[in-house]
Every structure is written in structure tokens, then in C-alpha cells.
């Protein structure tokens, strides 16, 4: 039996029909923020309530603690030089892992006020970092530590790589969360999980078009609405399809917004990323566990060896 649900013929070309979903590890309280590090052939992900970053080493599959305590990391990505970038709920900052093994702060404030709790981050080809800053890490003492929001809003920010300036680029969502660029970087997609705080907030991924300056955004509209749960983290493949976490599945949307298929997962799906030597293994963080399944797709920006 296939582990995929094919809703549109386009999805059948993106999968390996007989590939099985594997549970690679369990024991987290809330697994999030996966990033694949090609140079090390390992996957890092966050176990936010336990304040640790875990590591799966691909050569023998063993899992160990990479960092703890770590300031309650959530989302991760790699910058243009392959360095790991982290969103820290506890540290309330964006940080980067240096060659010395230390996490150094890249962004801590916006207009003189502390960030809420950065959640997810992406890197654009010009080296800028774009990150969401909802309040989940300061709402209580489970995923961080309680604090009132100094900014009083939950925005998406752009961190300029040269000046270090932090500019708000999305200010019209309730709790912006996962985000990713289209392959040509003309669009930024942002998930809104605002229903956790404001009833009736659309459970949607929103699309914004990137201005000619490569820095400003204009609202385009709702890209997709979730049929189950809230969209959290997601990734875009080379063809512009969106592989999104939501509740009981990874749901896959064509660039036109059509849901073309899904991968049911037996726990709540929080995030995912492409990994493996050929980046065709989808790593999925879901509630207490790490899962993986091979696919016939690769992340935007990937080129064959
Ligand atoms: Mg998230």
C-alpha cells in the first residue's frame, strides 16, 4: 500500500509510489525546526520544550544531543555560506553558529524593542535573512519564558546582511509562522497560525510579491487554506510546489494553489525539510518524533551533482 494520497496526477510524478514513511526517532516533546547540513551529512532539529537541538547523523542513523540548553531554538536554516541560522524563543533572537561552536546574535531588537520569539527563518540569494516573530515563545513557560510583547505586534522582518538593519516587511498577519520564497524569489509565502490567538483568523498560507528592489513586499492574497489544522513550517521544491505541514499530514500544493496530494503522518506535523545526499529525502518533525520518506522532488535552489 502506498503511504501517499494522490489527489492530482501532478503529485504522482513527485513521489516514489512504494516508498514508506519511517519513524526515525521519538522522545521529543515538540519537534520543530529541521535543517539539513550537507557538509556534515547530518540533520538538526529542535525539541523546543526540552530546550535542546537534536542531531541525526546520516552515516549510521544515530541521534544525539547537539546543543542543550540552547535558548529554546525553533526554526533553522542555512545561510549562503552553509552556516546554521537559528530562531531562539528563549534568547528572543536570530543567531548563527560560528566556526568556534558558539551561537552569535544577528538580530535581537526592532526599533529598540526586543523581538517576541523568532519562529522560522529563510535566506534569500542576496544573503538577507527573513524571519517571522510571533509570540509562542513568550506566551508561557513551555516553549520559552513568559513576557509581554515589547513590540506589540507579530511581524515578518528582513535582516540586511551588510548593515544588520531589521525592517518589518509583513505587518498584516496575526501570528506569522512558516515562510519560504518561490524558486525565482519573486514571491514570499507566509503561514498565519493566528487562530491560536484570534478566533476566525484564516488558516492560510499568504502570498506576497517581492518588489523590484528585492526588499519590499506587496500583498498578493491567500495562496491556500488548510482543510485540517494550521499550516506551520513548509518548503518549496525546484518546480515551485509547496510541501506544507498541517495537522495530520504533509500537504502538497502546486504553484497554482491546487492541493495535489498529501502524506499522512501519525502525529501532528510541525515542519519539514529536504535532506540526504540528493536532497530527495523529506525529513518531517511531528510532535514527539522525527519521520522521513523518500520523494522524487528536491528543494528550490538544488542542482544535481
Ligand atoms: Mg513554526
Amino acid at each position: 500500500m502506498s503511504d501517499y494520497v494522490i489527489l492530482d496526477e501532478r503529485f504522482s510524478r513527485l513521489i516514489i509510489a512504494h516508498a514508506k514513511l519511517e519513524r526515525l526517532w521519538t522522545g521529543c516533546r515538540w519537534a520543530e525546526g529541521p535543517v539539513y547540513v550537507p557538509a556534515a551529512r547530518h540533520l538538526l532539529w529542535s525539541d523546543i520544550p526540552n530546550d535542546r537541538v537534536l542531531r541525526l547523523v546520516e552515516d549510521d542513523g544515530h541521534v544525539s544531543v547537539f546543543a542543550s540548553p540552547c535558548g529554546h531554538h525553533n526554526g533553522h536554516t542555512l545561510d549562503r555560506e552553509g552556516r546554521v541560522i537559528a530562531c531562539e524563543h528563549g534568547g528572543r533572537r536570530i543567531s548563527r553558529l560560528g566556526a568556534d561552536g558558539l551561537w552569535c546574535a544577528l538580530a535581537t531588537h526592532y526599533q529598540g524593542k526586543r523581538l517576541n520569539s523568532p519562529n522560522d527563518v529563510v535566506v534569500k540569494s542576496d544573503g538577507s535573512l527573513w524571519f517571522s516573530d510571533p509570540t509562542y515563545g513568550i506566551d508561557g513557560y513551555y516553549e520559552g519564558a513568559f513576557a509581554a510583547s515589547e513590540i506589540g505586534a507579530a511581524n515578518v522582518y528582513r535582516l540586511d546582511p551588510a548593515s544588520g538593519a531589521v525592517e518589518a516587511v509583513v505587518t498584516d498577519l496575526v501570528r506569522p509562522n512558516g515562510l519560504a520564497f518561490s524558486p525565482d524569489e519573486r514571491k514570499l509565502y507566509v503561514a498565519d497560525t493566528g487562530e491560536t490567538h484570534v478566533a476566525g483568523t484564516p488558516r492560510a498560507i499568504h502570498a506576497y510579491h517581492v518588489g523590484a528592489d528585492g526588499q519590499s513586499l506587496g500583498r498578493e492574497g491567500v495562496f491556500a487554506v488548510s482543510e485540517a489544522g494550521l499550516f506551520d513550517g513548509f518548503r518549496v521544491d525546484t518546480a515551485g510546489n509547496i510541501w506544507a505541514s498541517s495537522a495530520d499530514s504533509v500537504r502538497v500544493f502546486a504553484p497554482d494553489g491546487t492541493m495535489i496530494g498529501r502524506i499522512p503522518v501519525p502525529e501532528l506535523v510541525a515542519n519539514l525539510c529536504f535532506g540526504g545526499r540528493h536532497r530527495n529525502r523529506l525529513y518531517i518533525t511531528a510532535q514527539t518524533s522525527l519521520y522521513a520518506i523518500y520523494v522524487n522532488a528536491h528543494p528550490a535552489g538544488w542542482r544535481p551533482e
Side-chain angles (χ1 to χ4, degrees), residues 32 74-75 119-120 132 177-178 232-233 270-271:
E32 247 283 13
N74 188 340
N119 189 290
D120 218 342
S132 60
N177 202 315
D232 198 338
N271 213 330

Side-chain angles (χ1 to χ4, degrees), residues 24-277:
L24 301 180
W25 198 81
T26 191
C28 296
R29 287 208 164 90
W30 186 252
E32 247 283 13
V35 63
Y36 183 72
V37 185
R41 289 201 61 206
H42 67 209
L43 179 92
L44 303 178
W45 81 98
S46 303
D47 178 4
I48 306 173
N50 282 321
D51 195 13
R52 60 182 177 173
V53 176
L54 295 165
R55 168 179 52 186
L56 170 87
V57 180
E58 278 194 328
D59 59 359
D60 63 2
H62 87 263
V63 170
S64 57
V65 175
F66 184 74
S68 184
C70 59
H72 292 89
H73 282 201
N74 188 340
H76 293 102
T77 194
L78 297 181
D79 71 8
R80 303 293 295 171
E81 287 75 46
R83 297 172 293 191
V84 178
I85 305 293
C87 295
E88 299 186 17
H89 277 188
R92 300 177 66 178
R93 63 182 193 168
I94 300 292
S95 61
R96 182 180 65 209
L97 181 59
D100 57 4
L102 301 176
W103 298 91
C104 71
L106 300 180
T108 56
H109 290 72
Y110 169 63
Q111 292 184 339
K113 298 170 181 166
R114 285 191 82 182
L115 297 172
N116 298 323
S117 51
N119 189 290
D120 218 342
V121 57
V122 287
V123 172
K124 198 163 172 282
S125 59
D126 63 3
S128 56
L129 299 175
W130 301 57
F131 63 95
S132 60
D133 185 43
T135 57
Y136 298 110
I138 58 171
D139 285 338
Y141 292 95
Y142 192 59
E143 296 192 16
F146 176 80
S149 170
E150 294 184 17
I151 295 169
N155 300 322
V156 173
Y157 300 99
R158 176 186 183 275
L159 171 61
D160 190 273
S163 68
V166 175
E167 299 290 339
V169 288
V170 174
T171 58
D172 61 346
L173 300 181
V174 179
R175 291 293 183 278
N177 202 315
L179 68 175
F181 285 101
S182 60
D184 60 9
E185 296 187 336
R186 288 182 169 177
K187 286 186 189 180
L188 179 73
Y189 299 103
V190 186
D192 189 352
T193 50
E195 200 193 36
T196 55
H197 288 68
V198 178
T201 302
R203 303 170 165 192
I205 293 174
H206 301 260
Y208 298 82
H209 52 83
V210 179
D213 61 1
Q215 302 183 13
S216 57
L217 295 178
R219 181 167 175 79
E220 193 167 288
V222 171
F223 170 75
V225 175
S226 176
E227 60 170 16
L230 302 167
F231 292 120
D232 198 338
F234 56 89
R235 294 291 190 274
V236 177
D237 68 21
T238 52
N241 301 297
I242 290 187
W243 301 65
S245 63
S246 67
D248 58 356
S249 301
V250 173
R251 288 181 166 76
V252 182
F253 297 85
D256 66 7
T258 308
M259 187 166 76
I260 57 175
R262 66 185 182 94
I263 308 168
V265 177
E267 296 186 73
L268 287 172
V269 182
N271 213 330
L272 51 95
C273 75
F274 293 93
R277 181 180 168 191

Side-chain angles (χ1 to χ4, degrees), residues 22-25 43 45 56 283-285 288-292:
E22 304 166 64
R23 186 164 83 167
L24 301 180
W25 198 81
L43 179 92
W45 81 98
L56 170 87
Y283 284 108
I284 302 162
T285 53
T288 68
S289 304
L290 175 70
Y291 295 84

